[in-house]
Amino acid sequence: MVGYAFMGAAHSQAWRTVNRAFDLPLRVRMAAVCGRDEAKVSEAADKLGWDGYVTDWRELIARDDIDVIDVCTPGDSHAEITIAALAAGKHVMCEKPLANSVAEARAMVDAAAAARESGIRTLCGFNYRRVPAAALMRQMIAAGRLGVIRHVRAVYLQDWITDPQFPLVWRLQQERAGSGALGDIGAHIIDLTQYVTGQRITGVSGLTETFIKERPIPSEMSGLAASANGDGQAVGQVTVDDAAVFTARLSGGAIATYEASRFAMGRKNGLRVEINGSLGSLVFDLERLNELEFYDATKPAAEQGFNRILVTEPEHPYLSAWWPPGHIIGYEHSFTHQMRDFVQAVAEGLDPHPSFEEALGVQLVLEAVQQSAASGSAWTQVAQPAIPVAA
Ligand SMILES: NC(=O)c1ccc[n+]([C@@H]2O[C@H](COP(=O)([O-])OP(=O)(O)OC[C@H]3O[C@@H](n4cnc5c(N)ncnc54)[C@H](O)[C@@H]3O)[C@@H](O)[C@H]2O)c1
Protein backbone atom coordinates (compact mmCIF):
# COMPACT_ATOMS: atom_id res chain seq x y z
CA MET A 1 0.00 0.00 0.00
CA VAL A 2 1.27 3.47 -0.88
CA GLY A 3 0.19 6.27 1.51
CA TYR A 4 -0.82 5.65 5.12
CA ALA A 5 -2.97 8.60 6.20
CA PHE A 6 -6.79 8.76 5.90
CA MET A 7 -7.42 6.22 3.15
CA GLY A 8 -4.31 4.30 4.15
CA ALA A 9 -5.84 3.73 7.59
CA ALA A 10 -9.27 2.86 6.17
CA HIS A 11 -7.78 0.40 3.66
CA SER A 12 -5.48 -1.15 6.29
CA GLN A 13 -8.45 -1.83 8.54
CA ALA A 14 -10.22 -3.46 5.60
CA TRP A 15 -7.22 -5.59 4.58
CA ARG A 16 -6.88 -6.67 8.22
CA THR A 17 -10.50 -7.75 8.55
CA VAL A 18 -11.38 -9.10 5.11
CA ASN A 19 -10.25 -12.71 5.69
CA ARG A 20 -11.80 -12.73 9.15
CA ALA A 21 -15.23 -11.61 7.96
CA PHE A 22 -15.38 -13.46 4.64
CA ASP A 23 -14.37 -16.95 3.54
CA LEU A 24 -12.11 -16.24 0.58
CA PRO A 25 -10.03 -18.48 -1.69
CA LEU A 26 -6.91 -16.37 -1.02
CA ARG A 27 -5.37 -15.05 2.19
CA VAL A 28 -4.23 -11.45 2.32
CA ARG A 29 -0.76 -10.80 3.70
CA MET A 30 -0.07 -7.16 4.45
CA ALA A 31 3.48 -7.16 3.14
CA ALA A 32 4.62 -3.54 3.24
CA VAL A 33 3.43 0.05 3.34
CA CYS A 34 5.18 2.98 1.65
CA GLY A 35 5.62 6.51 2.97
CA ARG A 36 8.31 9.08 2.31
CA ASP A 37 9.20 9.83 5.94
CA GLU A 38 10.98 6.82 7.45
CA ALA A 39 10.12 7.51 11.09
CA LYS A 40 6.46 8.12 10.32
CA VAL A 41 6.02 5.20 7.94
CA SER A 42 7.69 2.80 10.35
CA GLU A 43 5.28 3.91 13.08
CA ALA A 44 2.35 3.63 10.64
CA ALA A 45 3.39 0.11 9.58
CA ASP A 46 3.35 -0.95 13.20
CA LYS A 47 0.06 0.72 14.04
CA LEU A 48 -1.81 -0.33 10.91
CA GLY A 49 -0.56 -3.93 10.85
CA TRP A 50 1.91 -4.08 7.95
CA ASP A 51 4.82 -6.54 8.04
CA GLY A 52 7.27 -3.90 6.84
CA TYR A 53 7.71 -0.52 5.22
CA VAL A 54 9.61 1.20 2.41
CA THR A 55 10.23 4.87 1.64
CA ASP A 56 9.94 4.68 -2.15
CA TRP A 57 6.96 3.04 -3.88
CA ARG A 58 9.28 1.69 -6.60
CA GLU A 59 10.68 -0.71 -3.98
CA LEU A 60 7.20 -2.23 -3.55
CA ILE A 61 6.82 -2.70 -7.26
CA ALA A 62 10.25 -4.34 -7.58
CA ARG A 63 9.45 -7.01 -4.97
CA ASP A 64 8.57 -10.53 -6.14
CA ASP A 65 6.60 -11.34 -2.98
CA ILE A 66 4.07 -8.55 -3.63
CA ASP A 67 1.08 -9.25 -5.91
CA VAL A 68 -1.17 -6.24 -5.27
CA ILE A 69 -0.43 -2.51 -5.08
CA ASP A 70 -3.02 -0.40 -3.24
CA VAL A 71 -2.69 3.29 -4.19
CA CYS A 72 -3.83 5.60 -1.34
CA THR A 73 -1.97 8.78 -2.34
CA PRO A 74 -3.32 12.11 -3.65
CA GLY A 75 -4.38 12.13 -7.31
CA ASP A 76 -1.13 13.56 -8.68
CA SER A 77 0.67 10.24 -8.21
CA HIS A 78 -2.12 7.77 -9.11
CA ALA A 79 -1.18 7.47 -12.79
CA GLU A 80 2.57 7.10 -12.34
CA ILE A 81 2.36 4.50 -9.54
CA THR A 82 -0.48 2.55 -11.14
CA ILE A 83 1.02 2.35 -14.62
CA ALA A 84 4.39 1.24 -13.23
CA ALA A 85 2.72 -1.37 -11.01
CA LEU A 86 0.66 -2.79 -13.89
CA ALA A 87 3.74 -2.96 -16.11
CA ALA A 88 5.40 -5.01 -13.36
CA GLY A 89 2.47 -7.46 -13.32
CA LYS A 90 0.83 -6.32 -10.08
CA HIS A 91 -2.93 -6.15 -9.56
CA VAL A 92 -3.87 -2.56 -8.64
CA MET A 93 -6.50 -1.01 -6.44
CA CYS A 94 -6.40 2.77 -6.87
CA GLU A 95 -8.30 5.34 -4.84
CA LYS A 96 -10.77 7.69 -6.50
CA PRO A 97 -10.92 9.89 -8.46
CA LEU A 98 -8.89 7.69 -10.81
CA ALA A 99 -6.61 10.55 -11.87
CA ASN A 100 -6.30 14.31 -12.02
CA SER A 101 -7.21 14.56 -15.71
CA VAL A 102 -8.91 12.67 -18.51
CA ALA A 103 -5.56 12.21 -20.26
CA GLU A 104 -4.04 10.50 -17.22
CA ALA A 105 -7.17 8.40 -16.73
CA ARG A 106 -7.03 7.28 -20.37
CA ALA A 107 -3.38 6.24 -19.95
CA MET A 108 -4.39 4.22 -16.88
CA VAL A 109 -7.23 2.57 -18.78
CA ASP A 110 -4.82 1.61 -21.57
CA ALA A 111 -2.34 0.18 -19.05
CA ALA A 112 -5.14 -1.77 -17.34
CA ALA A 113 -6.43 -3.11 -20.66
CA ALA A 114 -2.94 -4.33 -21.60
CA ALA A 115 -2.44 -5.91 -18.17
CA ARG A 116 -5.86 -7.59 -18.33
CA GLU A 117 -4.50 -9.70 -21.19
CA SER A 118 -2.17 -11.32 -18.64
CA GLY A 119 -4.87 -11.74 -16.00
CA ILE A 120 -4.01 -8.61 -14.03
CA ARG A 121 -7.01 -6.98 -12.27
CA THR A 122 -7.73 -3.34 -11.45
CA LEU A 123 -10.34 -1.54 -9.35
CA CYS A 124 -10.98 2.13 -8.56
CA GLY A 125 -12.04 2.80 -4.97
CA PHE A 126 -15.56 4.18 -5.20
CA ASN A 127 -16.34 2.47 -1.92
CA TYR A 128 -19.89 3.78 -1.41
CA ARG A 129 -21.08 1.23 -3.98
CA ARG A 130 -20.38 -1.33 -1.29
CA VAL A 131 -22.49 0.09 1.47
CA PRO A 132 -25.13 -2.67 1.63
CA ALA A 133 -28.07 -0.22 1.39
CA ALA A 134 -26.58 1.34 -1.77
CA ALA A 135 -25.96 -2.11 -3.27
CA LEU A 136 -29.56 -3.03 -2.42
CA MET A 137 -30.73 0.15 -4.13
CA ARG A 138 -29.04 -1.02 -7.33
CA GLN A 139 -30.58 -4.49 -7.03
CA MET A 140 -34.08 -3.08 -6.53
CA ILE A 141 -33.76 -0.68 -9.48
CA ALA A 142 -32.37 -3.47 -11.69
CA ALA A 143 -35.33 -5.64 -10.65
CA GLY A 144 -37.66 -2.92 -11.95
CA ARG A 145 -39.09 -1.87 -8.56
CA LEU A 146 -38.95 1.83 -9.50
CA GLY A 147 -40.14 1.41 -13.09
CA VAL A 148 -38.84 4.11 -15.41
CA ILE A 149 -36.39 6.44 -13.67
CA ARG A 150 -37.50 10.08 -13.91
CA HIS A 151 -35.32 11.94 -11.38
CA VAL A 152 -31.90 11.52 -9.80
CA ARG A 153 -31.16 13.93 -6.95
CA ALA A 154 -27.71 13.66 -5.40
CA VAL A 155 -25.81 15.78 -2.90
CA TYR A 156 -22.47 15.32 -1.18
CA LEU A 157 -21.94 18.10 1.34
CA GLN A 158 -19.13 18.94 3.76
CA ASP A 159 -18.09 22.08 5.67
CA TRP A 160 -14.42 21.55 6.64
CA ILE A 161 -12.99 24.62 4.85
CA THR A 162 -15.56 27.28 5.73
CA ASP A 163 -12.95 28.99 7.96
CA PRO A 164 -10.87 31.31 5.70
CA GLN A 165 -7.85 30.55 7.92
CA PHE A 166 -8.01 26.85 7.05
CA PRO A 167 -4.64 26.21 5.32
CA LEU A 168 -3.88 25.56 1.67
CA VAL A 169 -3.65 21.74 1.95
CA TRP A 170 -3.14 19.49 -1.11
CA ARG A 171 -6.89 19.12 -1.67
CA LEU A 172 -7.04 22.88 -2.47
CA GLN A 173 -4.30 22.75 -5.12
CA GLN A 174 -5.26 21.90 -8.68
CA GLU A 175 -1.91 20.33 -9.59
CA ARG A 176 -2.17 17.92 -6.63
CA ALA A 177 -5.91 17.20 -6.50
CA GLY A 178 -7.15 17.86 -10.06
CA SER A 179 -10.23 19.68 -8.81
CA GLY A 180 -11.88 20.56 -5.50
CA ALA A 181 -15.26 19.47 -4.15
CA LEU A 182 -16.16 18.39 -7.69
CA GLY A 183 -13.55 15.65 -8.06
CA ASP A 184 -13.20 14.78 -4.40
CA ILE A 185 -16.82 14.26 -3.37
CA GLY A 186 -18.78 15.05 -6.55
CA ALA A 187 -16.99 12.08 -8.14
CA HIS A 188 -18.55 9.78 -5.53
CA ILE A 189 -22.14 10.79 -6.29
CA ILE A 190 -21.49 10.65 -10.04
CA ASP A 191 -20.24 7.09 -9.67
CA LEU A 192 -22.90 6.05 -7.17
CA THR A 193 -25.85 7.34 -9.21
CA GLN A 194 -24.54 5.83 -12.45
CA TYR A 195 -24.05 2.55 -10.58
CA VAL A 196 -27.44 2.33 -8.87
CA THR A 197 -29.43 3.42 -11.92
CA GLY A 198 -27.35 1.50 -14.47
CA GLN A 199 -27.47 4.66 -16.60
CA ARG A 200 -24.75 7.02 -17.74
CA ILE A 201 -24.66 10.81 -17.56
CA THR A 202 -24.79 12.02 -21.16
CA GLY A 203 -24.74 15.82 -20.78
CA VAL A 204 -24.32 18.46 -18.08
CA SER A 205 -24.67 22.14 -17.27
CA GLY A 206 -22.44 23.18 -14.39
CA LEU A 207 -21.50 25.97 -12.03
CA THR A 208 -18.40 26.01 -9.84
CA GLU A 209 -17.27 28.57 -7.27
CA THR A 210 -14.21 29.25 -5.15
CA PHE A 211 -15.45 31.35 -2.24
CA ILE A 212 -12.09 31.79 -0.47
CA LYS A 213 -9.41 32.52 -3.06
CA GLU A 214 -6.30 32.77 -0.85
CA ARG A 215 -5.36 30.69 2.18
CA PRO A 216 -2.43 30.47 4.61
CA ILE A 217 0.37 28.19 3.46
CA PRO A 218 1.04 25.37 5.94
CA SER A 219 4.66 25.29 7.13
CA GLU A 220 5.35 21.83 5.62
CA MET A 221 4.41 23.25 2.20
CA SER A 222 6.73 26.24 2.32
CA GLY A 223 7.86 25.48 -1.26
CA LEU A 224 4.58 26.81 -2.66
CA ALA A 225 4.45 30.18 -4.42
CA ALA A 226 3.49 32.59 -1.66
CA SER A 227 2.57 36.23 -1.26
CA ALA A 228 1.86 38.12 1.96
CA ASN A 229 -1.62 39.23 2.96
CA GLY A 230 -2.42 42.44 4.94
CA ASP A 231 -1.31 40.75 8.20
CA GLY A 232 2.04 39.71 6.74
CA GLN A 233 0.89 36.07 6.65
CA ALA A 234 2.22 33.88 3.80
CA VAL A 235 -0.75 32.98 1.62
CA GLY A 236 -1.20 31.12 -1.65
CA GLN A 237 -3.93 30.84 -4.29
CA VAL A 238 -6.70 28.28 -3.97
CA THR A 239 -6.77 26.76 -7.47
CA VAL A 240 -9.77 24.42 -7.17
CA ASP A 241 -13.51 24.81 -6.71
CA ASP A 242 -15.00 25.04 -3.21
CA ALA A 243 -18.39 23.98 -4.53
CA ALA A 244 -19.88 22.61 -7.75
CA VAL A 245 -23.49 22.14 -8.82
CA PHE A 246 -24.75 20.71 -12.07
CA THR A 247 -27.81 19.46 -13.83
CA ALA A 248 -27.58 16.40 -16.04
CA ARG A 249 -29.38 14.06 -18.41
CA LEU A 250 -29.01 10.30 -18.04
CA SER A 251 -28.97 7.73 -20.83
CA GLY A 252 -32.31 6.22 -19.75
CA GLY A 253 -34.17 9.54 -19.99
CA ALA A 254 -33.92 10.72 -16.37
CA ILE A 255 -32.99 14.30 -15.49
CA ALA A 256 -30.70 14.86 -12.53
CA THR A 257 -29.28 17.42 -10.12
CA TYR A 258 -25.92 17.13 -8.36
CA GLU A 259 -24.39 19.29 -5.65
CA ALA A 260 -20.90 18.92 -4.12
CA SER A 261 -19.72 21.47 -1.58
CA ARG A 262 -17.18 22.00 1.17
CA PHE A 263 -19.10 25.07 2.31
CA ALA A 264 -22.39 23.50 3.41
CA MET A 265 -22.17 24.66 7.02
CA GLY A 266 -23.25 21.92 9.41
CA ARG A 267 -22.98 19.13 6.85
CA LYS A 268 -19.96 17.00 7.77
CA ASN A 269 -20.14 14.17 5.26
CA GLY A 270 -23.68 14.45 3.98
CA LEU A 271 -24.14 12.11 1.03
CA ARG A 272 -27.76 11.63 -0.02
CA VAL A 273 -29.20 10.12 -3.19
CA GLU A 274 -32.91 10.09 -4.07
CA ILE A 275 -34.25 8.33 -7.14
CA ASN A 276 -37.84 8.82 -8.33
CA GLY A 277 -39.31 6.39 -10.86
CA SER A 278 -42.70 5.66 -12.39
CA LEU A 279 -43.43 2.98 -9.76
CA GLY A 280 -41.81 4.45 -6.67
CA SER A 281 -38.82 6.13 -5.03
CA LEU A 282 -35.69 5.10 -3.15
CA VAL A 283 -33.59 7.26 -0.81
CA PHE A 284 -30.12 6.55 0.55
CA ASP A 285 -28.58 8.78 3.22
CA LEU A 286 -25.02 7.99 4.35
CA GLU A 287 -25.71 9.32 7.86
CA ARG A 288 -28.24 6.46 8.16
CA LEU A 289 -26.32 3.96 6.10
CA ASN A 290 -28.04 0.88 7.49
CA GLU A 291 -31.37 2.06 6.11
CA LEU A 292 -33.00 2.49 2.73
CA GLU A 293 -36.23 4.43 2.29
CA PHE A 294 -38.65 2.92 -0.24
CA TYR A 295 -41.89 4.39 -1.53
CA ASP A 296 -43.80 1.70 -3.41
CA ALA A 297 -46.51 3.30 -5.58
CA THR A 298 -47.84 -0.14 -6.59
CA LYS A 299 -49.36 -0.61 -3.14
CA PRO A 300 -53.01 0.31 -2.51
CA ALA A 301 -53.27 4.10 -2.04
CA ALA A 302 -54.30 3.67 1.61
CA GLU A 303 -51.03 1.84 2.36
CA GLN A 304 -48.61 4.03 0.46
CA GLY A 305 -45.86 5.94 2.24
CA PHE A 306 -42.10 5.87 2.61
CA ASN A 307 -41.03 2.65 4.33
CA ARG A 308 -37.74 2.25 6.13
CA ILE A 309 -35.94 -0.95 5.16
CA LEU A 310 -33.43 -1.85 7.85
CA VAL A 311 -30.64 -3.24 5.68
CA THR A 312 -29.19 -5.76 8.13
CA GLU A 313 -30.73 -9.06 6.98
CA PRO A 314 -28.50 -11.90 5.78
CA GLU A 315 -30.39 -11.66 2.45
CA HIS A 316 -29.01 -8.14 1.97
CA PRO A 317 -25.73 -7.56 0.09
CA TYR A 318 -22.61 -8.49 2.13
CA LEU A 319 -24.51 -8.83 5.43
CA SER A 320 -24.51 -12.59 5.86
CA ALA A 321 -20.83 -12.21 6.83
CA TRP A 322 -21.54 -9.85 9.73
CA TRP A 323 -23.90 -9.79 12.69
CA PRO A 324 -27.45 -10.98 13.44
CA PRO A 325 -30.28 -8.85 11.93
CA GLY A 326 -30.55 -5.37 13.44
CA HIS A 327 -26.89 -5.25 14.50
CA ILE A 328 -25.74 -2.34 12.44
CA ILE A 329 -22.48 -1.82 10.54
CA GLY A 330 -20.51 1.35 9.65
CA TYR A 331 -18.49 3.37 7.16
CA GLU A 332 -15.42 1.15 7.38
CA HIS A 333 -17.30 -1.95 6.26
CA SER A 334 -17.63 -0.50 2.75
CA PHE A 335 -13.84 -0.85 2.42
CA THR A 336 -13.83 -4.42 3.75
CA HIS A 337 -16.48 -5.23 1.14
CA GLN A 338 -14.30 -3.60 -1.54
CA MET A 339 -11.33 -5.77 -0.54
CA ARG A 340 -13.60 -8.83 -0.45
CA ASP A 341 -14.81 -8.31 -4.01
CA PHE A 342 -11.31 -7.49 -5.23
CA VAL A 343 -9.73 -10.62 -3.70
CA GLN A 344 -12.59 -12.80 -4.94
CA ALA A 345 -12.24 -11.39 -8.47
CA VAL A 346 -8.46 -11.92 -8.50
CA ALA A 347 -8.94 -15.51 -7.30
CA GLU A 348 -11.63 -16.23 -9.90
CA GLY A 349 -9.85 -14.46 -12.75
CA LEU A 350 -12.69 -11.94 -13.18
CA ASP A 351 -12.68 -8.15 -13.46
CA PRO A 352 -13.91 -6.45 -10.27
CA HIS A 353 -15.93 -3.23 -10.46
CA PRO A 354 -15.65 -0.29 -10.77
CA SER A 355 -13.22 -0.88 -13.61
CA PHE A 356 -10.79 1.83 -14.69
CA GLU A 357 -13.04 2.31 -17.75
CA GLU A 358 -15.96 3.13 -15.44
CA ALA A 359 -13.73 5.46 -13.43
CA LEU A 360 -12.68 7.15 -16.68
CA GLY A 361 -16.39 7.64 -17.28
CA VAL A 362 -16.57 9.60 -14.00
CA GLN A 363 -13.52 11.61 -15.03
CA LEU A 364 -15.22 12.52 -18.32
CA VAL A 365 -18.24 13.84 -16.39
CA LEU A 366 -15.93 15.90 -14.13
CA GLU A 367 -14.23 17.38 -17.19
CA ALA A 368 -17.57 18.18 -18.85
CA VAL A 369 -18.79 19.97 -15.69
CA GLN A 370 -15.60 22.05 -15.59
CA GLN A 371 -15.89 22.89 -19.29
CA SER A 372 -19.53 23.85 -18.88
CA ALA A 373 -18.80 26.01 -15.82
CA ALA A 374 -16.00 27.77 -17.73
CA SER A 375 -18.36 28.60 -20.58
CA GLY A 376 -21.26 30.20 -18.72
CA SER A 377 -22.90 26.86 -17.81
CA ALA A 378 -23.33 25.94 -21.48
CA TRP A 379 -24.86 22.51 -22.10
CA THR A 380 -21.94 20.10 -22.56
CA GLN A 381 -22.09 16.56 -23.91
CA VAL A 382 -20.19 13.94 -21.92
CA ALA A 383 -17.87 11.69 -23.93
CA GLN A 384 -18.54 8.03 -23.15
CA PRO A 385 -15.86 5.45 -22.29
CA ALA A 386 -15.88 2.08 -24.00
CA ILE A 387 -16.88 -0.25 -21.17
CA PRO A 388 -15.61 -3.81 -21.69
CA VAL A 389 -17.80 -6.72 -20.67
CA ALA A 390 -16.33 -8.34 -17.54
CA ALA A 391 -14.65 -11.68 -18.26
N1 LIG B 1 -12.95 6.43 -1.02
C1 LIG B 1 -13.10 7.47 -0.24
O1 LIG B 1 -14.14 7.66 0.38
C2 LIG B 1 -11.98 8.45 -0.08
C3 LIG B 1 -11.94 9.30 1.04
C4 LIG B 1 -10.86 10.15 1.17
C5 LIG B 1 -9.87 10.18 0.21
N2 LIG B 1 -9.97 9.38 -0.88
C6 LIG B 1 -8.92 9.40 -1.92
O2 LIG B 1 -7.77 8.73 -1.41
C7 LIG B 1 -6.58 9.34 -1.88
C8 LIG B 1 -5.74 9.80 -0.69
O3 LIG B 1 -6.53 10.67 0.11
P1 LIG B 1 -6.34 10.76 1.70
O4 LIG B 1 -7.53 11.44 2.24
O5 LIG B 1 -5.96 9.43 2.24
O6 LIG B 1 -5.09 11.74 1.75
P2 LIG B 1 -4.09 11.97 2.96
O7 LIG B 1 -3.48 13.32 2.75
O8 LIG B 1 -4.78 11.67 4.25
O9 LIG B 1 -2.99 10.85 2.71
C9 LIG B 1 -2.17 10.83 1.57
C10 LIG B 1 -0.98 9.92 1.86
O10 LIG B 1 -0.21 9.79 0.68
C11 LIG B 1 1.17 9.95 1.02
N3 LIG B 1 1.90 10.31 -0.19
C12 LIG B 1 1.71 11.37 -1.00
N4 LIG B 1 2.56 11.30 -2.06
C13 LIG B 1 3.28 10.16 -1.90
C14 LIG B 1 4.33 9.54 -2.63
N5 LIG B 1 4.78 10.08 -3.77
N6 LIG B 1 4.85 8.39 -2.17
C15 LIG B 1 4.40 7.83 -1.03
N7 LIG B 1 3.41 8.37 -0.28
C16 LIG B 1 2.88 9.53 -0.72
C17 LIG B 1 1.13 11.00 2.10
O11 LIG B 1 2.31 11.03 2.84
C18 LIG B 1 -0.05 10.46 2.92
O12 LIG B 1 0.34 9.36 3.74
C19 LIG B 1 -7.03 10.49 -2.78
O13 LIG B 1 -7.08 10.04 -4.10
C20 LIG B 1 -8.45 10.78 -2.29
O14 LIG B 1 -9.27 11.36 -3.28
C21 LIG B 1 -10.98 8.50 -1.02
Side-chain angles (χ1 to χ4, degrees):
M1 185 177 78
V2 193
Y4 54 80
F6 179 20
M7 276 308 101
H11 283 217
S12 297
Q13 160 131 334
W15 289 124
R16 285 196 308 270
T17 51
V18 69
N19 282 118
R20 296 183 178 134
F22 293 94
D23 293 324
L24 288 170
L26 295 172
R27 275 205 83 73
V28 172
R29 185 173 67 86
M30 295 170 67
V33 59
C34 170
R36 292 158 301 176
D37 179 313
E38 180 156 10
K40 287 187 187 161
V41 70
S42 118
E43 197 184 315
D46 203 34
K47 183 175 172 197
L48 300 177
W50 294 87
D51 290 349
Y53 66 85
V54 298
T55 53
D56 185 336
W57 55 265
R58 291 167 193 84
E59 292 176 53
L60 295 181
I61 288 171
R63 275 173 57 168
D64 291 338
D65 66 327
I66 289 179
D67 301 304
V68 176
I69 301 289
D70 181 5
V71 183
C72 291
T73 57
D76 60 342
S77 51
H78 288 185
E80 188 185 10
I81 299 172
T82 296
I83 291 169
L86 290 171
K90 313 293 187 197
H91 306 285
V92 175
M93 178 179 293
C94 179
E95 258 306 335
K96 49 52 64 180
L98 186 61
N100 278 0
S101 69
V102 166
E104 282 176 352
R106 283 196 196 283
M108 294 168 80
V109 164
D110 290 346
R116 188 180 284 133
E117 302 289 313
S118 337
I120 299 301
R121 309 292 159 196
T122 48
L123 176 149
C124 183
F126 285 108
N127 58 301
Y128 292 123
R129 289 180 173 212
R130 281 154 169 122
V131 174
L136 177 63
M137 198 174 197
R138 175 179 160 93
Q139 285 181 2
M140 290 175 71
I141 292 173
R145 299 300 299 274
L146 293 196
V148 181
I149 307 295
R150 309 289 193 206
H151 285 292
V152 172
R153 206 165 292 110
V155 300
Y156 198 161
L157 307 173
Q158 301 181 338
D159 72 352
W160 56 280
I161 56 170
T162 46
D163 180 355
Q165 288 301 310
F166 188 88
L168 190 61
V169 296
W170 70 262
R171 279 187 161 81
L172 306 182
Q173 298 162 36
Q174 194 271 333
E175 66 279 14
R176 305 239 26 229
S179 65
L182 177 64
D184 188 16
I185 51 180
H188 272 301
I189 47 176
I190 293 166
D191 178 70
L192 189 58
T193 52
Q194 293 193 131
Y195 178 64
V196 299
T197 62
Q199 297 185 22
R200 307 205 61 79
I201 295 172
T202 56
V204 295
S205 167
L207 271 181
T208 57
E209 183 56 64
T210 305
F211 299 111
I212 306 292
K213 296 187 172 29
E214 281 184 347
R215 290 184 179 273
I217 293 186
S219 49
E220 69 273 17
M221 293 183 182
S222 54
L224 290 178
S227 56
N229 66 11
D231 301 329
Q233 187 181 37
V235 292
Q237 295 295 315
V238 175
T239 46
V240 300
D241 59 280
D242 288 334
V245 297
F246 63 98
T247 55
R249 285 193 181 277
L250 273 73
S251 51
I255 59 172
T257 62
Y258 292 82
E259 188 178 359
S261 178
R262 294 165 169 168
F263 273 71
M265 197 65 106
R267 299 291 173 199
K268 303 301 168 185
N269 198 43
L271 187 169
R272 188 174 186 280
V273 170
E274 176 165 324
I275 315 279
N276 310 127
S278 56
L279 300 180
S281 295
L282 280 166
V283 186
F284 171 70
D285 185 338
L286 184 63
E287 290 182 0
R288 305 177 71 158
L289 66 76
N290 290 276
E291 301 171 15
L292 192 60
E293 277 190 274
F294 180 39
Y295 182 93
D296 183 357
T298 66
K299 281 187 174 175
E303 294 171 20
Q304 283 178 16
F306 272 99
N307 284 311
R308 183 188 70 131
I309 303 171
L310 187 61
V311 190
T312 57
E313 298 295 323
E315 290 76 16
H316 288 139
Y318 303 105
L319 282 160
S320 59
W322 296 105
W323 318 117
H327 293 70
I328 53 177
I329 62 163
Y331 169 71
E332 66 273 28
H333 293 77
S334 64
F335 296 98
T336 308
H337 301 162
Q338 180 171 299
M339 300 344 184
R340 180 239 170 236
D341 290 346
F342 184 80
V343 171
Q344 189 76 40
V346 167
E348 291 177 358
L350 298 173
D351 284 325
H353 70 85
S355 64
F356 279 13
E357 286 87 354
E358 284 177 275
L360 166 64
V362 173
Q363 210 80 42
L364 289 162
V365 177
L366 300 177
E367 183 184 72
V369 173
Q370 287 183 311
Q371 284 173 355
S372 170
S375 56
S377 306
W379 187 256
T380 305
Q381 293 297 128
V382 177
Q384 300 297 319
I387 307 280
V389 179

